[in-house]
């Protein structure tokens, strides 16, 4: 019998013993979805023009966990390179990752763990680490993973908790088994130490800034403590491409790491548990001692499975289509990974945008990695429905960042300001939470939202990612002229894109101003929210670039990508007026011309569903009374743009935004304008969907969305809420009160 055959049998045997048959929601998740190049189609039926990766990974962690554990197929922490891509048969170990799932950012503060044997060459050199492996995909869930290393005759199993990971290494015939831990730092920074007295390895990976000032400290680090289930035998460290047996410490060298070996008896598995933290090694140890107290692998796995099943079970889907179950619960899983928990079990967290300062959050959990430009549109609104307790703490975290950083961050990542956003979408998130009635200090929040909207940041503040670029011209002229490049930002122009986005952001801030009784501010902000009209070219009937004298670009093609549209086209950006669609209809010449242009856009390759700026657009037909077309388009996108395979996402998932669109749209409703408390209806693709709601926030306790039959391609013409016929939208109050939203099909349909 070959070594490979023996290993496969070992995988099957161990997995059968240790991974009980699931009978609940977790069994429907397929973590392969979105882990490689897109295989979906464009609106015109053609293949994606450019290869687009979902950028998702296989991740073991709790919902919104601090750290995910993933097989590593890509080394380093480069921007837009995920630590894992499906199809690579070589594994470089298992990474404790802080990858923004589905995004084009970079990992930070990560370490990797690679099991091997001393009888073979120690794989301390990066070029030697790739190891032929078999990932047992049938057994993977968010709570468990098993990977076989053929040459080493080794099965690695992984489970974990919110802040910690637990590994079980089973060698078929262990000969000097060894475990390596190495720091993934691209700037030759980091620390690792073998503590022989406590039989553990500790260390940290410093985090550098993302955009401007690359390489400079971000003021945080990924700290860890690793403990083993048996005594360490041999040990050593490596760095600068050299290893030293018997050494215990390395710091600030290239590719540093440590290794320890063991002498198990009777093929006894070796267990490793790792605590992580963003504040200190001591708190990483506290996190580990609290979350994984013993060495009971199965108990830890079962506890994590229970957490996921409870969270996923907040939406119950009834359908006979197994592929749709897989797509739905995988999308729901992807929607529940971010924002990331950043505080420790004792409440300690790193102060936002501050060098190595620690505070205590007290009564709330502190979160980070919001990717607000994307997630404000669907993912955060989804969390407000199904994870309101966590969502409340996320809002508290955003306000804490504003207090600590003296500006409300537009898109906080790695606990710092960034320049990743062309708009001010944290304002949208907070205004939406206030409109829904979540409890926080509205006046305090408004002061920070107003500062973003009305204060002009200095050049130094802009360079740090604070405030709105181009705000002086925007506030003075009502637009940002093309002569004013925004040189300090990754998007050096994007003037028109910012005018459109700031207009919506101002509308959101205005809603909060009204709520706190700032009537004069409300009127001013509401007037500013109409600034999008200043970049509408009446002659060409599209949004267009505008010069300081008020004239528009004459060499104009609505299908040509332009820097002032953030390298998108006018046809793609013109529709971004979610807060004032009736005004847009009027600007475009009325309902007939609006419908013609909208249909042309949505049925062309110009519509890129993975681009969040366009994801509300299929629902705009509702605003002209054409609910049938909204349903038709949404259901076509659900089929065309989402698959049940590795290429099943049409672009980056962006911290769960693309997946959240699927979750909400497949149930039949979507928040086209967060902050308005209104959801536009499409219709469900399932026979029945039940939202089990937290009664503390939703007195009705549940909302049922039902149809007369399986509805994947059916276009309905009547909807009732608690037996009363309604139009093509519902309110957040309707969801709070609960009941049943029922979709049916009569003999005739009218657009009116």
């Amino acid at each position: 019998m070959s070594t490979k055959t023996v290993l496969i049998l070992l995988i099957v045997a161990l997995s059968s013993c240790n991974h009980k048959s699931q009978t609940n929601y977790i069994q429907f998740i397929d973590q392969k979805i979105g882990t490689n190049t897109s295989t979906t189609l464009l609106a015109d039926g053609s293949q994606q023009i450019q290869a687009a990766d979902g950028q998702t990974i296989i991740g073991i962690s709790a919902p919104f966990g601090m750290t995910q554990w993933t097989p590593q197929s890509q080394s380093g922490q480069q921007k837009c390179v995920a630590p894992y891509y499906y199809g690579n048969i070589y594994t470089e170990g298992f990474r404790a990752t802080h990858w923004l799932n589905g995004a084009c950012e970079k990992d930070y503060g990560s370490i990797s763990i690679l099991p091997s044997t001393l009888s073979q060459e120690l794989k301390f050199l990066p070029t030697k680490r790739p190891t032929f492996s078999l990932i047992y995909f049938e057994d993977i869930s968010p709570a468990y993973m098993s990977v076989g290393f053929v040459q080493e005759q080794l099965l690695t199993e992984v489970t974990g908790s919110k802040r910690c990971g637990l590994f079980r290494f089973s060698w078929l015939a262990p000969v000097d088994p060894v475990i390596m831990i190495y720091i993934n730092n691209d700037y030759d920074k980091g620390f690792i130490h073998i503590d022989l007295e406590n039989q553990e390895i500790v260390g940290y990976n410093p985090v550098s800034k993302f955009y401007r000032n690359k390489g400079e400290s971000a003021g945080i680090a990924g700290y860890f403590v690793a403990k083993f289930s048996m005594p360490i035998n041999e040990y050593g460290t490596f760095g600068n491409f050299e290893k030293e047996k018997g050494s215990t410490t390395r710091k600030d060298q290239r590719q540093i790491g440590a290794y320890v070996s063991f002498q198990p008896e009777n093929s006894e598995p070796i267990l490793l548990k790792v605590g992580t933290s963003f504040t200190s090694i001591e708190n990483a140890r506290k996190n580990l001692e609290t979350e994984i107290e013993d060495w009971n692998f199965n108990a830890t796995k079962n506890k994590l499975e229970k957490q996921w099943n409870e969270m996923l079970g907040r939406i119950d889907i009834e359908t006979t289509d197994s592929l749709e179950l897989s797509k739905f619960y995988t999308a729901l899983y992807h929607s529940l990974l971010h924002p990331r928990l950043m505080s420790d079990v004792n409440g300690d967290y790193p102060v936002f945008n501050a060098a190595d300062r620690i505070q205590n959050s007290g009564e709330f959990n502190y979160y980070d990695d919001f990717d607000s430009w994307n997630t404000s549109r669907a993912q955060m609104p989804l969390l407000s429905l199904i994870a309101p307790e966590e969502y409340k703490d996320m809002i508290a975290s955003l306000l804490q960042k504003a207090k600590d950083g003296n500006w409300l961050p537009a898109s906080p990542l790695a606990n710092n300001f960034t320049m990743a956003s062309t708009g001010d979408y944290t304002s949208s998130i907070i205004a939406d939470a206030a409109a829904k009635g979540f409890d926080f200090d509205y006046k305090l929040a408004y002061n920070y939202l107003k500062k973003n909207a009305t204060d002009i940041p200095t050049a130094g503040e802009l360079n740090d990612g604070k405030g709105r670029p181009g705000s002086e011209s925007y506030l003075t002229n009502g637009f940002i002229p093309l002569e004013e490049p925004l040189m300090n930002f990754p998007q050096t122009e994007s003037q028109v894109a910012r005018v459109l986005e700031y207009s919506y952001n101002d509308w959101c801030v205005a809603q909060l101003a009204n709520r706190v009784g700032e009537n004069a501010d409300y009127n001013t902000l509401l007037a500013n929210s109409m600034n999008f009209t200043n970049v509408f070219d009446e002659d060409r009937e599209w949004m267009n670039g505008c010069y300081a004298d008020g004239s528009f670009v004459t060499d104009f093609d609505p299908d040509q990508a332009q820097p002032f549209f953030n390298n998108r086209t006018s046809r793609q950006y013109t529709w971004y007026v979610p807060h004032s669609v009736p005004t847009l209809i009027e600007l475009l010449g009325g309902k007939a011309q609006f419908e013609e242009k909208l249909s042309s856009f949505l049925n062309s390759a110009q519509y890129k569903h993975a681009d969040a700026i366009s994801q509300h657009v299929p629902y705009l037909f509702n605003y002209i009374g054409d609910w049938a077309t909204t349903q038709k388009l949404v259901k076509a996108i659900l089929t065309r743009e989402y698959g049940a395979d590795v290429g099943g996402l049409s672009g980056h998932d962006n911290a769960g935004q693309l997946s959240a669109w699927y979750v909400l749209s497949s149930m039949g409703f979507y928040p086209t304008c967060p902050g308005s408390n209104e959801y536009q209806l499409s219709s469900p693709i399932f026979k029945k969907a039940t939202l089990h709601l937290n009664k503390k926030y939703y007195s009705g306790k549940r909302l049922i969305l039902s149809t007369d039959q399986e509805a994947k391609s059916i276009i309905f013409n009547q909807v009732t809420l608690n037996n009363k016929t309604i139009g093509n939208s519902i309110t957040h109050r309707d969801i709070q009160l609960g009941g049943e939203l029922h979709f049916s099909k009569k003999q005739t349909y009218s657009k009116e």
Side-chain angles (χ1 to χ4, degrees), residues 395-469:
I395 301 301
S397 300
L398 289 173
L399 293 177
Q400 187 63 51
K401 294 175 197 300
K403 287 188 279 188
D404 292 340
N406 201 34
W407 284 85
L408 182 68
S411 188
L413 297 172
N415 211 41
N416 271 256
F417 292 98
T418 69
M419 301 175 181
S421 179
T422 49
D424 185 15
Y425 287 90
T426 303
S427 294
S428 169
I429 292 172
I430 293 174
D432 191 44
K436 291 172 177 174
F438 280 86
D439 184 21
F440 56 93
D441 188 337
Y442 291 175
K443 183 64 175 178
L444 173 72
Y446 174 68
N447 288 337
Y448 284 113
L449 267 63
K450 179 185 176 182
K451 180 174 182 177
N452 276 28
T454 62
D455 283 17
I456 299 171
T458 65
E461 288 172 327
L462 281 174
N463 193 56
D464 288 337
K466 301 172 184 177
R468 296 181 179 180

Side-chain angles (χ1 to χ4, degrees), residues 259-318:
Y259 67 92
V260 289
S261 71
F262 306 89
Q263 290 186 324
E265 297 180 0
N266 302 320
S267 299
E268 178 185 0
I270 299 172
L271 276 74
L272 162 66
K273 55 185 179 180
V274 186
T276 67
S277 170
F278 287 112
T279 63
S280 67
I281 290 172
E282 292 75 16
N283 274 9
R285 186 178 290 108
K286 290 177 184 176
N287 292 342
L288 184 59
E289 291 170 348
T290 302
E291 294 186 356
I292 305 180
E293 300 179 57
D294 52 32
W295 297 100
N296 192 326
F297 186 92
N298 288 345
T300 301
K301 175 174 68 68
N302 292 341
K303 182 178 179 180
L304 187 54
E305 287 174 345
K306 184 178 180 181
Q307 291 177 22
W308 274 111
N309 277 323
E310 192 279 327
M311 182 68 77
L312 295 164
R314 295 178 186 181
I315 305 180
D316 193 16
I317 298 300
E318 294 183 22

Side-chain angles (χ1 to χ4, degrees), residues 472-489:
E472 185 171 7
S473 288
Y474 174 82
L475 292 170
T476 302
N477 305 315
F479 66 95
I480 305 173
L482 299 187
E483 293 95 334
E484 185 179 331
L486 310 171
M487 298 304 295
N488 287 334
F489 278 70

Side-chain angles (χ1 to χ4, degrees), residues 670-722:
Y670 188 80
T672 58
C673 181
S676 69
N677 270 355
E678 186 174 83
Y679 302 84
Q680 294 300 315
L681 297 180
S682 51
S683 59
I685 65 172
F686 306 112
K687 174 72 173 175
K688 185 178 180 182
T690 303
L691 277 74
H692 300 284
L693 302 168
N694 186 322
K695 64 182 180 180
K696 178 179 176 182
Y697 301 89
Y698 297 92
S699 59
K701 299 182 183 179
R702 69 177 184 174
L703 177 70
I704 298 172
L705 301 103
S706 63
T707 63
D708 292 329
Q709 55 190 306
E710 288 284 342
K712 193 171 182 179
S713 59
I714 294 176
I715 307 304
F716 298 97
N717 56 20
Q718 179 173 286
V719 58
T720 60
L721 177 61
N722 298 327

